[in-house]
RNA sequence: GCGGGCGUAGCUCAGUGGUAGAGCGUUAGCUUCCCAAGCUAAAUGUCGAGGGUUCGAUCCCCUUCGCCCGCUCCA
């Protein structure tokens, strides 16, 4: 499997699908460029998505499986937005962590994930001893017996030194709070797994920071968007007010997002700069469950339609404890990429039921879930909203029912690069075909769906004489005029030219031969079956067009 | 981020303390009436980058960047 991935990566480089960014300077981890063929492939992927979402959407009919008819519209938002957007969306907290590293065993921990049991004096709260541990979410386990014993011993030692009149109590707190409370002097918190020395907390920000305005300073600090979705939410009111859409409706966006991943790996799968195809679907809360299921199934089918095989593609509903902070239901469309271990799948797209979390967050301020599971505005230590919302009314007024409500949101969020990579991996095929002497030769071909293939047709004169090149060039121009991506090749033997096209996934080759001059017919050769059919030269454009739309 | 391995032509790789080769591919010509054909010719590398040791480094040492595997982290 991993070997197959190496072949795919080599082919992508050799044929101009994907290059490493800034390769001549040694490359830059987590960034990738699309070559001449790659850009066509990725454009076709995005175009297929956009057509499915917007261009071909019929808002007068009810699509199969949908609760009702609905509207769809597009949007293209800026990459840099007001910093408050990320505070209210939750990204600022979620993507911004302080981490400590163990100098001994090199483990890394989020400061707020490490719990500290502290023994301190009851009188002046001086910390005497502490032990760290990670609370297991499933078992809820805390301090071990050994650790308790160590605490007892440390307190005993302390009492011996100070005399017996000190009373100690035990409290637990996060490492975060402990470091703030006992910055100096107190016993050092040690590594939860090996008791090694910990580094001071260091800032990790998964969002790319930049400065707005020429003057550097905290004032102008802004972030490159880590997802395209927030641009849609903050424009919700603009779209409703300007486009006459009625709930239910969706807003789609394709664009770049940026995440400063700690470990970009697996080719283009986890990149620091990537392109998303996101759609936010706004509906009445009572209907949201049905819409969630509709979009989940429809998005899965989209990948099937464009050629991902069902045994390497799966739709997986998240377990309740796996759900994001905002979600009441999420499913992933996953693909068994060849770089993953047997049985493992990687995420292509997440379809999330986000409820009213996003719109309300941008109205009221950043929300969190309280003990009863209700969304409430997160408060700071003074009882004020931690991050203030816009204060704008983002509710929707339904003229028919005379009802005013915050729509619920279904979000299918797909990775354009991940989809492109999955289509590349799925397309890669090797087989054995006889050469002109009848000996079996290995053949590599990319079995792209014709709508995704970078080039749809290659036109060849069988040999470079008898007017064949001229006839072929004429057909090439006709195809170009019709807007069909095609190429012309008269170099080398015909077999080699076919193989070249196979390797870049061109579904059809048209060859002008001796018979063309006699009866105006050409051969149309199929990439996958290698079968050739004779069709009239004048029908080629129409034939290709109809096959492309099939 | 840590540990291990690796980095030589477009690709796959060989090789040596005295500034480099093979196969495939690419390009040009001839030949060629259908699946990587034949013949002829040609191009291509600052041996990942920077520094050090040396009379001399692609080779030895250090740093750095990148890739792969594992751990960690993460949607």
């Amino acid at each position: 499997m991993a070997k197959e991935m190496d072949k795919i990566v080599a082919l992508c480089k050799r044929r101009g699908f994907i290059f490493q960014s800034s390769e001549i300077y040694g490359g830059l981890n987590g960034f990738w460029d699309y070559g001449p063929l790659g850009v066509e492939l990725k454009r076709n992927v995005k175009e297929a998505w956009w057509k499915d979402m917007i261009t071909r959407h019929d808002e007068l009919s009810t699509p199969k499986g949908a609760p009702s008819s609905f509207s769809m519209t597009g949007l293209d938002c800026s990459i840099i937005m007001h910093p408050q957007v990320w505070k209210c969306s939750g990204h600022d907290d979620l993507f911004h962590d302080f981490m400590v590293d163990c100098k001994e065993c090199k483990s890394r921990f989020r400061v707020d994930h490490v719990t500290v049991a502290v023994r301190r004096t009851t009188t002046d709260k001086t910390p005497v001893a502490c032990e760290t541990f990670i609370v297991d979410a499933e078992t809820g386990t805390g301090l071990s017996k050994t650790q308790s014993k160590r605490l007892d011993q440390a307190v005993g030692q302390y009492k011996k030194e100070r005399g017996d009149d000190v009373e100690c109590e035990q409290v637990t707190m996060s490492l975060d709070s402990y470091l703030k409370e006992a910055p100096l002097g107190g016993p050092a918190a040690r590594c939860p797994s090996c008791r090694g020395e910990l580094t001071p907390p260091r800032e990790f920000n998964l969002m790319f920071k930049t400065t707005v305005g020429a003057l550097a300073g905290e004032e102008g600090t802004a972030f490159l968007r880590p997802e395209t979705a927030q641009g849609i939410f903050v424009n919700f009111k603009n779209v409703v007010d300007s486009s006459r859409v009625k709930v239910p409706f969706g807003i789609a966006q394709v664009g770049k997002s940026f995440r400063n991943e700690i470990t970009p790996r697996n080719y283009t799968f986890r990149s620091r700069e990537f392109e998303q195809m996101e759609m936010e679907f706004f509906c009445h809360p009572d209907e949201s469950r049905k819409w969630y299921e509709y979009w989940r199934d429809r998005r899965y089918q989209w990948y099937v339609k464009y050629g991902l095989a069902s045994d390497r593609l799966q739709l997986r509903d998240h377990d309740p404890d796996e759900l994001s902070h905002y979600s009441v239901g999420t499913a992933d469309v996953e693909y068994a990429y060849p770089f993953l271990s047997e049985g493992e799948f990687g995420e292509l797209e997440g379809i999330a039921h986000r409820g009213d979390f996003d719109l309300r967050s941008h109205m009221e301020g950043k929300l969190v879930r309280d003990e009863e599971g209700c969304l409430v505005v997160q408060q700071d230590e003074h009882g004020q909203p931690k991050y203030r919302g816009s204060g704008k009314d983002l509710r929707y007024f339904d003229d028919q029912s005379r009802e005013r409500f915050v729509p619920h949101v279904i979000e299918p969020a797909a990775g354009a690069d991940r989809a492109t990579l999955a289509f590349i991996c799925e397309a890669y095929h090797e087989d054995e075909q006889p050469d002109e002497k009848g000996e079996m030769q290995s053949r590599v071909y990319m079995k792209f769906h014709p709508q995704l293939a970078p080039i749809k047709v290659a036109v060849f004169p069988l040999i470079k004489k008898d007017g064949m090149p001229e006839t072929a060039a004429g057909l090439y121009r006709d195809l170009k005029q019709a807007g069909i991506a095609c190429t012309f090749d008269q170099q080398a033997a015909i077999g080699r030219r076919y193989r070249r096209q196979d390797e870049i996934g061109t579904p059809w080759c048209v060859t002008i031969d001796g018979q063309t001059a006699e009866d105006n017919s050409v051969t149309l050769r199929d990439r996958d079956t290698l079968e050739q059919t004779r069709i009239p030269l004048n029908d080629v454009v129409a034939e290709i067009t109809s096959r492309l739309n099939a």
Side-chain angles (χ1 to χ4, degrees):
Chain A
M1 269 313 202
K3 256 192 177 156
E4 181 173 307
M5 196 60 213
D6 291 345
K7 289 182 186 173
I8 292 169
V9 171
L11 185 142
C12 286
K13 168 88 191 290
R14 175 158 39 92
R15 293 270 117 146
F17 283 94
I18 296 170
F19 307 126
Q20 202 177 9
S21 168
S22 333
E23 198 193 61
I24 61 166
Y25 288 106
L28 189 57
N29 197 0
F31 298 91
W32 299 91
D33 296 339
Y34 287 85
L37 292 175
V39 65
E40 296 297 337
L41 175 65
K42 190 174 161 188
R43 277 170 59 100
N44 291 341
V45 170
K46 289 186 284 181
E47 181 67 14
W49 185 89
W50 191 263
K51 271 187 178 157
D52 186 55
M53 286 291 174
I54 307 287
T55 320
R56 293 223 170 98
H57 176 70
D58 167 9
E59 63 176 34
L60 303 179
S61 313
T62 301
K64 195 162 168 266
S68 70
S69 64
F70 56 93
S71 300
M72 292 293 290
T73 183
L75 202 60
D76 185 38
C77 306
S78 66
I79 285 171
I80 294 172
M81 290 188 259
H82 194 289
Q84 196 68 13
V85 169
W86 309 115
K87 292 198 185 326
C88 290
S89 71
H91 287 89
D92 199 81
D93 287 339
L94 197 68
F95 279 15
H96 193 188
D97 295 324
F98 283 88
M99 314 279 281
V100 288
D101 292 288
C102 172
K103 290 180 181 173
E104 302 294 325
C105 69
K106 310 296 183 192
S107 305
R108 170 171 294 161
F109 306 93
R110 272 177 62 169
V111 170
D112 56 350
H113 280 185
V114 178
T115 311
V116 191
V118 188
R119 292 282 174 90
R120 60 186 188 194
T121 57
T122 47
T123 46
D124 58 359
K125 312 287 185 204
T126 306
V128 172
C130 70
E131 289 287 329
T132 61
F133 58 94
I134 306 285
V135 178
D136 191 311
E138 276 177 30
T139 61
T141 50
L143 213 56
S144 71
K145 278 181 187 168
T146 338
Q147 287 181 311
S148 298
K149 207 179 269 178
R150 272 206 296 264
L151 284 175
D152 290 340
Q153 283 170 355
V155 170
Q157 183 71 28
Y158 184 79
K159 285 182 179 175
K160 211 187 243 176
E161 286 168 10
R162 297 294 176 99
D164 277 346
D165 57 336
V166 269
E167 284 291 312
C168 280
E169 58 176 5
Q170 180 169 325
V171 290
T172 53
M173 58 182 74
S174 73
L175 178 58
D176 207 7
S177 331
Y178 179 69
L179 292 169
K180 274 177 202 152
E181 197 165 294
L184 290 168
R190 307 188 75 84
C191 173
S193 65
C194 77
R195 288 180 54 77
E197 192 187 341
L198 294 172
T199 62
R202 289 184 288 183
E203 184 180 356
F204 276 74
N205 197 338
L206 269 340
M207 285 197 287
F208 278 95
K209 210 181 257 189
T210 188
T211 308
V212 175
L215 260 178
E218 277 302 305
E219 293 276 303
T221 298
F223 300 93
L224 307 191
R225 64 183 176 196
E227 63 169 35
T228 55
Q230 298 305 323
I232 296 176
F233 295 126
V234 300
N235 275 298
F236 172 74
K237 199 169 152 53
N238 282 337
V239 172
V240 169
D241 290 348
S242 63
S243 70
R244 301 181 63 226
V245 288
K246 288 196 167 81
V247 166
F249 72 95
I251 304 178
Q253 173 164 222
V254 176
K256 288 278 179 84
S257 291
F258 304 80
R259 291 184 193 181
N260 215 343
E261 298 287 352
I262 296 169
T263 315
R265 206 167 274 195
N266 289 333
Y267 204 33
T268 60
F269 183 76
R270 178 170 294 162
S271 302
R272 287 177 165 141
E273 174 175 345
F274 57 99
E275 200 154 9
Q276 292 185 298
M277 306 185 290
E278 290 197 304
M279 194 274 285
E280 308 299 328
F281 192 80
F282 301 91
C283 59
H284 190 279
D286 296 345
E287 303 270 280
S288 62
R289 192 83 219 167
K290 280 188 265 175
W291 283 111
Y292 165 68
E293 283 159 13
Y294 167 69
W295 281 110
R296 183 192 61 190
D297 298 341
R298 174 168 163 181
R299 288 303 304 148
Y300 177 79
Q301 285 305 321
W302 185 82
Y303 292 98
V304 174
K305 178 186 171 186
Y306 284 102
L308 296 193
S310 54
D311 64 325
R312 304 194 69 175
L313 186 72
Q314 72 175 18
L315 183 61
R316 188 179 64 85
D317 285 299
H318 280 206
D319 298 330
D321 63 342
E322 201 184 351
L323 296 177
S324 309
H325 61 289
Y326 48 76
S327 186
V328 304
T330 300
D332 279 349
V333 181
E334 300 180 325
Y335 181 72
Y337 290 94
F339 51 75
L340 299 172
S341 319
E342 193 69 33
E344 273 188 32
F345 286 75
E347 186 191 340
L348 268 177
E349 168 161 352
I351 299 102
H353 183 310
R354 296 175 70 125
D356 56 4
F357 176 85
D358 301 281
L359 289 178
R360 276 184 59 202
S361 289
H362 288 302
M363 287 169 67
E364 305 163 24
K366 192 203 161 193
L367 301 173
V368 286
R369 224 166 262 289
D370 66 11
E371 298 84 32
E372 281 145 38
C374 297
L375 288 173
V376 294
V377 174
Q378 188 178 7
Q379 297 187 337
D380 64 13
E381 56 267 33
H382 310 296
Q384 295 295 309
K386 186 177 177 194
Y387 300 124
R388 237 170 248 289
S390 66
K392 299 283 187 293
D393 188 357
L394 303 181
R395 287 177 300 172
Y396 174 80
F397 183 70
D398 189 316
D399 291 305
Q400 300 279 303
S401 64
R402 315 294 296 166
E403 188 187 357
R404 198 180 294 277
F405 59 93
V406 180
H408 277 210
V409 170
I410 312 302
E411 177 195 79
D417 306 272
R418 288 181 173 189
T420 303
L421 181 58
F423 288 125
I424 288 173
C425 294
E426 185 72 26
Y428 186 86
H429 280 77
E430 290 178 16
D431 67 3
E432 299 268 316
Q433 296 295 340
D435 65 14
E436 69 169 0
K437 293 188 194 107
E439 284 176 34
M440 297 307 276
Q441 299 285 343
S442 69
R443 176 175 82 121
V444 172
Y445 66 111
M446 298 296 281
K447 201 170 172 178
F448 290 125
H449 186 286
Q451 284 177 21
L452 300 182
I455 295 171
K456 317 300 184 192
V457 203
V459 183
F460 306 144
L462 185 59
I463 54 170
K464 254 188 280 185
K465 58 183 183 187
D466 302 336
M468 291 180 205
E470 291 73 14
T471 310
L475 176 59
Y476 164 81
R477 290 186 194 107
D478 291 346
L479 286 161
K480 281 276 179 185
Q481 275 301 311
I484 296 167
C486 62
T487 185
F488 173 87
D489 191 359
Q490 58 176 356
Q491 277 164 6
I494 190 74
R496 184 189 303 245
R497 282 180 271 166
Y498 283 143
R499 296 300 169 88
R500 274 183 197 143
Q501 296 305 319
D502 290 342
E503 211 180 29
I504 63 171
T506 306
W508 304 294
C509 294
V510 175
T511 303
I512 280 68
D513 57 17
Q515 201 179 322
T516 310
E518 292 165 24
D519 63 5
N520 233 14
S521 70
V522 297
T523 63
L524 180 58
R525 180 253 196 197
D526 183 89
R527 172 195 66 202
D528 304 333
T529 64
L530 281 73
E531 277 168 16
Q532 285 176 300
T533 49
R534 274 208 99 79
I535 64 167
L537 174 62
N538 295 331
D539 291 357
V540 171
V541 174
E543 176 65 24
I544 298 297
T545 305
S546 98
R547 286 189 184 205
L548 271 176
N549 293 326

